[in-house]
């Protein structure tokens, strides 16, 4: 097992609903959903704090969002997400169903096999 | 007296105990003040490796020199390192120096040299006392110092310092004291920097060896920690912390590498099973116990981590960064758990939970100990993580030890508890006496169910309150959910439900489907226990339709509902649930699509319901309630219904996913429903204003901050709106809804209705959709028959047979056999009989139903068209050929009455703005069998030609020219062009037209010419008729249609001939430019006065010879001539044939070449009338302006003539004009043909002037 790989990747809309969420060990899926959802607290906190302090110079990487003893959570995946958003057929706010995005996510994740 | 002292750092650490201090009486006071004063002033510490310089205070410890204290080779101890060796002497006696002191110094220096130490200084103390004592053999003070310097300080004179009278309070002694201090500080720092640098280098070398076998982390740990101690001693906590952080990172990396398969031998000691889980200990600056175990290489992973963290914690608190402690603590605890897992260290189940719990509380206690409560409250965002973590761990401990179950712990649980408590060991001495300690708390919590509950609730509430205080509501709800699970285990669903609903609301509103499903299932469990039937059924329905659940689970919940509906309970009370949880209305379709049919036809409403249940459900009754729309009854709605929707007949309902997918629809709100409004004036239907209105503002403008959740089926409570009593309904009985889409068809009753609600009844349960939105409306209407006539092709051309289409919408009327349309015939537009005329009958959906031949019977006044039988609401179409006769112009038949008694309106021709063609409106009056009133229909025809005529004369000869212009878009052939005169038989019109047939292309003209010949007298007025046959070019000769054009010509006879001649100046052959020549104008009367003419003039003339006054005018519009003298004049002309009048005028040619003659105009001169009765009105003044102006050019005579010839304008000589006659003499032009100009278009050759330097070429 490679510990450096992601086990759950989620893209969250700014209204806080999941645009994309995928996790590797499927039996833990529910737990990941709870965790990702809760970590939005910290995301909101950090984003608002950054907004106040620096204005436009937002640091896109928000750091550790929700420390657990099992996994570490970070925000990554900006480039691929940008690609999805640049797709003229993608309606911002819809859930992401891009295969390319899925592939990149798979690459970042732990291989279950 | 001499003493060798080495100078050391003052470190409050154990190794110092080994040293003992040795002081002489004199120096006791000196050392004390040295030790005190040395750290008083900071020194700038320049550091290696580009590190920023710092100001530091140096503290020192003085120890007596012993050779065995000098560091051996390879000794890494930095704390006990002698940094500076000082040799003190107060010797001032040369002898003494030579005999003993020097030797002693030599020995001292040698021993230093053998140990490689070069940091030394010799201090010579001078006192007056010593000087006084041995006056005799005293050398000058300088000499002893000089001697020492020359003996020892080879080139390093600063290594020998003089201190004079240190115990005296003189300025001199003070000065020397200060310089000594500075010197000591400098040397000490120099030595410190040098030795520290060496130490760091050695440490790095050691670190680089870490890949070699036999390298020990613990050994290295001790070395780097030594450095940390030194920094800490120097108050450089930041640097000290860096050392520990480096060690931390190094260790972490090893563990990670181990995980990746790269094992280091030394790591084995850390993989030993965990036997002690007593938690962090943060109350001591240095936990020597643990440090020792590390030094011995016996420490476990938790020991090492604990010790490392306790040191980091101490330093961070020194640095006043307590919040970093909490943050690091959380990371540490998580990290340790992960590392133990990674290293596969054997741990007793629950032991780590104990360790984490104790550690969390220990950190929190430590932080509480160094912060005031206000600070703590303000920074709970930093501590809340630890609180929540501790809560979590306590909960899992409780579950492990059987403290959460209803029955309490069993013996197995108790055994486990005992094992766990054993691993805690004894309580540490620091906290034994305090009332509350993490140790005591854990022991107590694990001791009984009640104590556990108390502690757990206390922690949970604390964590929740903190989360809420800092706005982390999701985290708070997650803790709440965990609490709810606890309550459920304790069998207290009531308390659990509040927390669950709270959490559920948050997941639903943010669209997290998996948590929604999970939480909802917990809610269902609660509700079942609490026997909240309606809520439970609602939740069950939601769960039954939840795709996140397995089919079996969904079936279970579906069965829960069905088994309830099967109960024959209280009949009066039916449970009402929201339709959305059960099935979704996805689409509504009208058949036919227009949603609007006439009464008698069938309008069907097809609903598509997506059933969310996992199994098929039998519904006793499905009802759609409808609402009657009062405002549009009757026939108006027909067009409205069609234009309102983009996809007529189908309403697609937007889906909001019940299993909480992305709430994009809920987030975005309903879409705008816009309608165009037009405000038209009631009188003439003209547009007053137009605009756009939003029809669903009540949905869009809802306050967003109000608490009501989006009205999706996610709403947790059942709908409050029931089905309205007494409303009209569409009903279907006994339907079985299969999972997925189901189609249900209703038949609509007549009227205009809006679908409002939907209700499905399953036993005792009703599923209600309180609002069908967007609203769907249908209409079953009744319509009057309608007859329209429209051209088959635009435009309709007059004069040719044209096809028109009759369309009859039968409406509610049934066309029976024998029904006929009666068309009143008109002369101007006869209906052409045709042999085969078929009528098509088509249904409302434009399908052809039948065809039949029409029989048309024409009588003198009426054309009767018998219609074939046709059912109501069908369309009947047929075509007829009509011909609109082109009005020829002059004749106006008297008004006549139509058969139905209506006054016949003569078709009026008018010019249409869109086309150059003249339009004629033809009205038709039709009597229809369904009405007692006649239907009036209008058709607009266009005349394809524009015709003009003109009279041309040459001397006495007269010619008539007719111009026919084709203004239509069709090409015509023109044949049999004729011109006839009606009144005068003697008159002969000889055609000069050679072609019998002419092509007349669109927008082109054809000119025809006739010469007028007469025998006796030429009548002054001619009534002419131009006639021709024409047909579109494509058709054969039989299709030729006649075209007539009537006109009248007046004053045809030539009265005068005008002849002009130009004579060169006397003696010249030719005219020359710039030289005057003579112009002779000769006006000759050609005919005897006609009667009309005499009558005209008789009013102005009295008796005597009959004369008339003429005005002539020589005008040269092209500036070729200069008229000298009078250019115009009046001529009195006798009214007899061949009367001649000559006028001589001088003119000068301005150019050379063939110049055209100047124009000569002859006008009628009407002298002012004596009898002026009426004041001239402004209109006539304007009218006459153009004529009374002398120099007004009257070139447009042709036009005037054509206007006059139509007989519409009688400008000249009519009594009317004369009556209004102005008081001034007037000029009037002659009609064309009345004056013949012989010299029209004549030219004369003009030679250039004699001076031929200027040559002008005038090309015309």
């Amino acid at each position: 097992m490679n510990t450096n790989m992601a086990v759950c990747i989620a893209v969250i809309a700014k209204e806080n609903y999941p645009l994309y969420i995928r996790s590797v060990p499927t039996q833990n899926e529910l737990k990941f959903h709870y965790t990702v959802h809760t970590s939005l607290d910290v995301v909101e906190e950090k984003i608002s704090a950054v907004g106040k302090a620096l204005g436009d110079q937002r640091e896109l990487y928000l750091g550790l969002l929700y420390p657990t003893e099992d996994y570490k959570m970070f925000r990554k995946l900006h480039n691929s997400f940008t690609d999805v958003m640049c797709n003229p057929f993608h309606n911002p706010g819809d859930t992401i169903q891009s295969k390319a995005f899925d592939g990149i996510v798979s690459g970042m994740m732990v291989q279950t096999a | 007296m001499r003493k060798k002292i080495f100078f050391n750092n003052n470190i409050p650490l154990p190794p110092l105990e080994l040293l003992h201090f040795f002081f002489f009486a004199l120096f006791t006071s000196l050392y004390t003040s040295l030790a005190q004063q040395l750290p008083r002033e900071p020194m700038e510490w320049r550091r290696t490796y580009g590190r920023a310089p710092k100001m530091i205070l140096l503290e020192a410890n003085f120890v007596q020199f012993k050779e065995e204290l000098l560091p051996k080779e390879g000794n890494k101890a930095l704390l006990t390192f002698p940094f500076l060796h000082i040799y003190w002497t107060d010797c001032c006696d040369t002898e003494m120096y030579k005999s003993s002191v020097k030797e002693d110094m030599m020995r001292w220096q040698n021993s230093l040299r053998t140990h490689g130490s070069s940091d030394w200084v010799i201090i010579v103390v001078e006192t007056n006392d010593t000087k006084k004592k041995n006056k005799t053999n005293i050398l000058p003070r300088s000499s002893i110092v000089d001697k020492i310097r020359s003996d020892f300080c080879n080139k390093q004179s600063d290594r020998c310092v003089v201190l004079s009278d240190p115990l005296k309070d003189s300025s001199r002694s003070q000065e020397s004291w200060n310089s000594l201090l500075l010197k000591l500080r400098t040397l000490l720092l120099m030595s410190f920097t040098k030795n520290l640098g060496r130490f760091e280098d050695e440490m790095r070398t050691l670190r680089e060896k870490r890949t070699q076998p036999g390298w020990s982390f613990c050994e290295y740990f001790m070395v780097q920690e030594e450095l940390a101690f030194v920094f800490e001693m120097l108050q450089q906590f930041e640097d000290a912390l860096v050392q520990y952080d480096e060690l931390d990172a190094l260790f972490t990396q090893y563990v990670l590498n181990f995980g990746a398969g790269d094992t280091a031998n030394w790591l084995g000691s850390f993989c030993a099973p965990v036997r002690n889980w007593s938690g962090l200990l943060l109350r001591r600056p240095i936990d020597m116990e643990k440090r020792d175990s590390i030094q011995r290489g016996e420490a476990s992973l938790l020991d090492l981590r604990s010790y490392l963290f306790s040191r980091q914690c101490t330093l961070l608190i020194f640095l006043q960064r307590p919040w970093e402690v909490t943050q690091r603590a959380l990371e540490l605890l998580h990290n340790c758990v992960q590392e133990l897992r990674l290293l596969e260290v054997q741990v007793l189940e629950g032991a780590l939970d104990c360790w984490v719990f104790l550690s969390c509380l220990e950190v929190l206690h430590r932080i509480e100990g160094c912060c005031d409560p206000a600070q703590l409250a303000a920074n709970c965002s930093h501590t809340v993580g630890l609180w929540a973590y501790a809560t979590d761990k306590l909960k899992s401990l409780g579950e492990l030890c059987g403290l959460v179950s209803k029955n309490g712990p069993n013996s197995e649980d108790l055994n486990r508890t005992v094992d766990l408590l054993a691993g805690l060991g004894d309580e540490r001495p620091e906290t034994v006496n305090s009332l509350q300690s993490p140790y005591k708390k854990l022991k107590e919590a694990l001791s009984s169910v009640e104590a556990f509950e108390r502690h757990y609730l206390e922690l949970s509430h604390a964590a929740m309150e903190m989360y809420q205080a800092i706005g982390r509501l999701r985290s708070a709800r997650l803790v709440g959910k965990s609490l709810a699970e606890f309550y459920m285990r304790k069998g207290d669903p009531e308390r659990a439900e509040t927390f669950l609903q709270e959490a559920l609301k948050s997941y639903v509103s943010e669209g997290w489907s998996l948590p929604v499903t999970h939480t909802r299932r917990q809610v269902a469990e609660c509700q079942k226990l609490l026997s909240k039937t309606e809520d439970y059924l609602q939740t069950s329905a939601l769960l039954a339709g939840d795709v996140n659940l397995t089919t079996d689970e969904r079936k279970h919940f579906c069965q829960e509902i069905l088994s309830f509906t099967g109960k024959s309970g209280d009949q009066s009370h039916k449970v009402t649930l929201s339709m959305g949880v059960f099935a979704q209305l996805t689409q509504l379709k009208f058949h036919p699509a227009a949603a609007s049919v006439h009464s008698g036809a069938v309008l069907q409403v097809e609903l598509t319901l997506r059933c969310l249940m996992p199994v098929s459900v039998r519904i006793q009754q499905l009802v759609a309630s409808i609402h009657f729309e009062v405002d549009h009854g009757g026939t108006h709605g027909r067009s409205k219904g069609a234009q309102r929707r983009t996809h007529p007949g189908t309403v697609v309902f937007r889906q909001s996913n019940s299993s909480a997918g992305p709430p994009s629809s809920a987030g975005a709100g309903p879409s705008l429903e816009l309608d165009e409004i037009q405000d038209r004036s009631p009188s003439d239907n003209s547009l007053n204003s137009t605009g756009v209105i939003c029809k669903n503002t009540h949905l869009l403008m809802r306050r967003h901050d109000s608490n009501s959740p989006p009205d999706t089926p996610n709403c947790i409570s059942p709908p409050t709106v029931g089905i309205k009593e007494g409303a009209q309904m569409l009903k279907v009985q006994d339907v079985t809804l299969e999972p997925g889409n189901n189609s249900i068809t209703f038949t609509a009753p007549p009227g205009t209705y809006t679908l409002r609600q939907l209700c499905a009844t399953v036993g005792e349960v009703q599923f209600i959709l309180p609002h069908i939105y967007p609203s769907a409306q249908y209409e079953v209407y009744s319509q009057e028959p309608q007859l329209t006539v429209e051209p088959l092709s635009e435009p309709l051309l007059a004069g040719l047979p044209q096809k028109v289409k009759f369309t009859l919408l039968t409406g509610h009327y049934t066309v029976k056999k024998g029904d006929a349309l009666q068309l009143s015939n008109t002369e101007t537009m006869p209906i052409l009989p045709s042999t085969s005329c078929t009528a098509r009958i088509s249904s409302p959906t434009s399908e052809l139903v039948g065809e039949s031949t029409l029989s048309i019977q024409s009588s003198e006044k009426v054309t009767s068209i018998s219609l074939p039988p046709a059912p109501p609401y069908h369309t009947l179409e047929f075509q007829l050929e009509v011909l609109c006769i082109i009005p020829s112009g002059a004749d106006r038949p008297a008004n006549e009455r139509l058969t139905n008694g209506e006054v016949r309106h003569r078709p009026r021709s008018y010019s249409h703005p869109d086309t150059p063609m003249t339009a004629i409106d033809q009205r038709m009056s039709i009597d229809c069998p369904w009405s007692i009133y006649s239907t009036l229909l209008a058709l607009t025809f266009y005349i394809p030609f524009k015709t003009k005529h003109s009279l041309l004369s040459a001397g006495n000869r007269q010619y008539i020219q007719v111009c026919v212009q084709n203004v239509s878009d069709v090409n015509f052939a023109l044949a049999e062009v004729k011109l006839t005169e009606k009144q005068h038989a003697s008159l002969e019109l000889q055609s000069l037209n050679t072609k019998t047939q002419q092509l007349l292309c669109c927008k082109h003209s054809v000119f025809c010419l006739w010469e007028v010949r007469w025998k006796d007298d030429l009548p002054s007025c001619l009534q002419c008729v131009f006639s021709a046959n024409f047909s579109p070019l494509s058709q054969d000769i039989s299709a030729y249609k006649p075209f007539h054009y009537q006109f009248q010509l007046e004053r045809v006879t030539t009265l005068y001939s005008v002849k002009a001649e130009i004579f060169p100046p006397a003696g010249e052959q030719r005219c020359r430019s710039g030289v005057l020549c003579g112009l002779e104008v000769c006006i000759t009367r050609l005919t005897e006065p006609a009667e009309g003419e005499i009558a005209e003039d008789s009013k102005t003339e009295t008796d005597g010879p009959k004369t008339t006054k003429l005005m002539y005018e020589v005008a040269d519009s092209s500036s070729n001539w200069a008229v000298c003298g009078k250019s115009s004049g009046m001529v009195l002309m006798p009214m007899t044939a061949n009367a001649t009048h000559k006028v001589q005028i001088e003119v000068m040619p301005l150019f050379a070449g063939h110049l055209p003659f100047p124009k000569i105009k002859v006008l009628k001169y009407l002298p002012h009338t004596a009898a002026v009765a009426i004041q001239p009105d402004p209109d006539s003044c304007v009218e006459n302006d153009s004529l009374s102006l002398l120099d007004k050019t009257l070139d447009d005579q042709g036009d005037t003539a054509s206007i006059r010839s139509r007989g519409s304008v009688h400008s000249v000589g009519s009594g009317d004009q004369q009556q209004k006659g102005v008081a001034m003499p007037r000029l009037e032009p002659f009609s064309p043909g009345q004056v013949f100009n012989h010299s029209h278009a004549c030219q004369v050759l003009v030679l250039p002037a004699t001076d031929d330097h200027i040559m002008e070429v005038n090309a015309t």
Side-chain angles (χ1 to χ4, degrees), chain A residues 3 12 16-18 21 29-30 33-34 36-38 40-42 44-45 66-71 93 95, chain B residues 334 337-338 341-342 389 393 470 472-475 478 481 506-507 510-512 514-515 518-519 662-664:
Chain A
T3 47
I12 313 295
N16 287 333
Y17 62 89
I21 184 156
E29 204 179 355
L30 177 66
H33 281 239
Y34 277 124
V36 172
H37 180 251
T38 312
L40 292 175
D41 272 342
V42 184
E44 271 181 1
E45 219 167 75
Y66 182 87
T68 67
E69 60 179 43
D70 303 313
Y71 306 102
T95 50
Chain B
H334 290 146
V337 175
Q338 284 175 36
R341 205 177 289 164
L342 199 63
Y389 199 20
K393 288 295 156 191
I470 58 170
R472 293 192 186 177
L473 298 178
R474 297 181 191 83
S475 309
L478 197 65
K481 247 198 97 227
S506 136
Y507 300 136
E510 292 188 338
W512 288 73
L514 233 47
H518 180 245
T519 312
S664 46

Side-chain angles (χ1 to χ4, degrees), chain B residues 896-915:
Chain B
E896 51 181 305
R897 289 197 171 257
L898 298 175
T899 45
N900 54 17
E902 237 178 88
V903 175
R904 176 193 292 274
H905 296 280
R906 205 190 137 63
R908 205 159 44 89
S909 61
Y910 57 94
S911 55
H912 199 273
D914 295 342
T915 163

Side-chain angles (χ1 to χ4, degrees), chain B residues 822-843:
Chain B
Q822 308 283 343
L823 272 73
S824 303
N825 289 346
T826 59
E827 277 175 15
T828 49
M829 196 188 71
I831 288 155
L832 302 180
S834 64
T835 47
S836 64
C837 179
T838 48
R840 289 161 50 94
I841 303 165
S842 47
S843 70

Side-chain angles (χ1 to χ4, degrees), chain B residues 645-931:
Chain B
R645 285 179 286 268
T646 43
H647 300 292
T650 308
V651 182
V652 177
F653 298 92
R654 285 188 318 141
Q655 290 318 305
S656 38
N657 221 333
S658 78
S659 54
S664 46
S665 55
S671 64
L672 282 176
E673 269 203 20
L674 296 178
D675 242 5
E676 189 186 353
I677 49 156
Q678 293 189 338
D679 175 23
R680 286 180 184 278
S681 146
S683 55
D684 55 352
N685 205 34
S686 64
L687 193 64
N688 280 345
S689 69
T690 183
V692 173
I693 54 157
C694 176
K695 295 205 300 185
N696 55 348
T697 38
H698 59 289
L699 294 174
L700 294 162
M701 303 293 279
R702 196 160 46 186
R703 280 162 59 102
H704 281 291
D705 52 359
S706 68
N707 262 338
S708 67
D711 53 353
T712 58
N714 290 323
C715 60
I716 293 140
S717 55
T720 46
V721 184
I723 197 125
K724 276 190 187 157
E725 292 294 323
Q728 273 185 285
M729 289 176 187
L730 308 177
K731 272 187 198 176
V732 176
Q733 307 277 349
D734 285 329
V735 194
T736 303
L737 289 185
E738 299 293 333
N741 283 342
N742 295 272
S743 172
I744 294 138
T745 308
F746 298 101
T747 306
T752 302
Y753 287 101
T754 307
L755 290 159
R756 282 287 172 88
Q757 295 178 319
L758 205 59
C759 174
T761 311
V762 185
E764 296 304 302
V765 180
Q766 277 187 328
F767 293 101
I768 288 183
L769 181 63
H771 304 288
I772 295 178
Y773 189 83
S775 64
Q777 200 175 58
Y778 74 85
E779 190 178 26
V780 178
Y781 64 92
S782 162
Q783 194 195 18
E784 291 298 316
Q786 258 181 311
L787 180 67
T788 50
V789 181
E790 53 195 348
L792 206 61
S793 63
E794 289 280 4
L796 287 172
L797 291 177
L800 290 171
Q802 299 285 296
K803 283 197 169 167
V804 289
K805 189 170 88 173
F806 284 73
T807 309
L808 170 62
L809 302 172
T810 54
H812 59 74
Y813 182 76
T814 312
V815 182
K816 298 174 283 291
K817 198 170 176 359
D819 278 348
L821 297 177
Q822 308 283 343
L823 272 73
S824 303
N825 289 346
T826 59
E827 277 175 15
T828 49
M829 196 188 71
I831 288 155
L832 302 180
S834 64
T835 47
S836 64
C837 179
T838 48
R840 289 161 50 94
I841 303 165
S842 47
S843 70
T845 51
S846 307
E847 286 167 58
L848 186 66
V849 174
E851 273 187 331
S852 70
T853 313
L854 288 178
S855 72
I856 300 169
Q857 287 166 341
S858 287
S859 68
E860 191 185 337
K861 295 211 161 178
V862 171
T863 302
S864 163
I865 305 163
S866 22
L867 298 172
Y873 299 103
H874 276 56
T875 311
L876 207 149
E877 282 175 338
F878 58 90
Q879 292 172 8
L880 282 184
E881 232 178 2
V882 295
L883 179 70
C884 174
I885 290 166
I886 302 174
S888 57
D891 58 339
R892 300 181 175 207
N895 280 352
E896 51 181 305
R897 289 197 171 257
L898 298 175
T899 45
N900 54 17
E902 237 178 88
V903 175
R904 176 193 292 274
H905 296 280
R906 205 190 137 63
R908 205 159 44 89
S909 61
Y910 57 94
S911 55
H912 199 273
D914 295 342
T915 163
M917 293 185 280
T918 310
I920 310 166
D921 280 342
Q922 282 287 355
R923 295 210 196 167
M924 280 192 289
S925 171
I926 306 170
D927 289 334
C928 308
W930 55 81
S931 167

